[in-house]
Amino acid sequence: MYARRRRRYFTLMAICLVLFISAWAFVRLWSVPAAIGMCVVAMVLPPLAVIVGNRREPDDHWWDEPPPPSDRHSS
């Protein structure tokens, strides 16, 4: 379950790096607007990767915390 989330996160971040590096390494030689578009897409991917990486799966239980103890004292 954790490996699946981590794999999705790193996949999205790898796509981000590939887009950014390829945009300014060789795509800009043919089309500057396409390179800028690729960078805009790469700019949106890191926040999306964080959301996807922290999304709760149906079989996750690490968010299930016991309720806090009551602070009320019986008098």
Side-chain angles (χ1 to χ4, degrees):
M1 86 180 111
Y2 299 115
R4 186 176 357 167
R5 264 199 315 262
R6 191 172 45 233
R7 193 172 328 133
R8 289 181 196 150
Y9 173 80
F10 284 120
T11 301
L12 283 171
M13 291 305 290
I15 292 170
C16 174
L17 286 173
V18 166
L19 282 172
F20 185 75
I21 292 170
S22 64
W24 294 111
F26 56 87
V27 173
R28 69 176 170 87
L29 300 174
W30 292 286
S31 173
V32 172
I36 292 171
M38 289 172 68
C39 284
V40 169
V41 172
M43 178 182 69
V44 173
L45 285 179
L48 182 65
V50 170
I51 292 169
V52 168
N54 287 318
R55 186 175 39 185
R56 181 178 178 186
E57 301 282 334
D59 56 346
D60 283 345
H61 298 290
W62 61 281
W63 264 284
D64 299 338
E65 296 180 8
S70 177
D71 288 338
R72 296 182 184 160
H73 299 292
S74 52
S75 303

